Amino acid sequence: MKYIFIGGCPRSGTTMLGSLLGAHPEALCIPESQFKTDVMRRIVSGQLTVWALNPFLEKHVRFS
């Protein structure tokens, strides 16, 4: 599994690109900025592993 992080300026098309990539059945597109920093902070601190990411994402408030 490979991870790709997409970043850009506002109104530059990153949301559309994420939607296009996320439409693929083997891809997962997560919500934007504040959510990513929360996930990365938890991974770096050891509170979350990349293998436990999917269940974490399913329960995160940004997905409700």
Side-chain angles (χ1 to χ4, degrees):
M1 180 183 302
K2 295 183 181 184
Y3 298 95
I4 299 171
F5 290 94
I6 299 170
C9 297
R11 311 273 317 146
S12 65
T14 53
T15 301
M16 184 179 77
L17 178 59
S19 295
L20 291 170
L21 294 173
H24 190 279
E26 294 183 18
L28 173 67
C29 183
I30 61 176
E32 298 179 4
S33 62
Q34 298 87 0
F35 178 79
K36 291 177 187 174
T37 56
D38 181 34
V39 168
M40 292 306 294
R41 188 177 302 116
R42 289 172 188 253
I43 289 173
V44 169
S45 70
Q47 296 174 343
L48 181 67
T49 65
V50 292
W51 304 113
L53 188 57
N54 195 38
F56 176 79
L57 294 176
E58 290 174 351
K59 295 176 186 173
H60 197 278
V61 68
R62 295 282 302 246
F63 280 97
S64 57

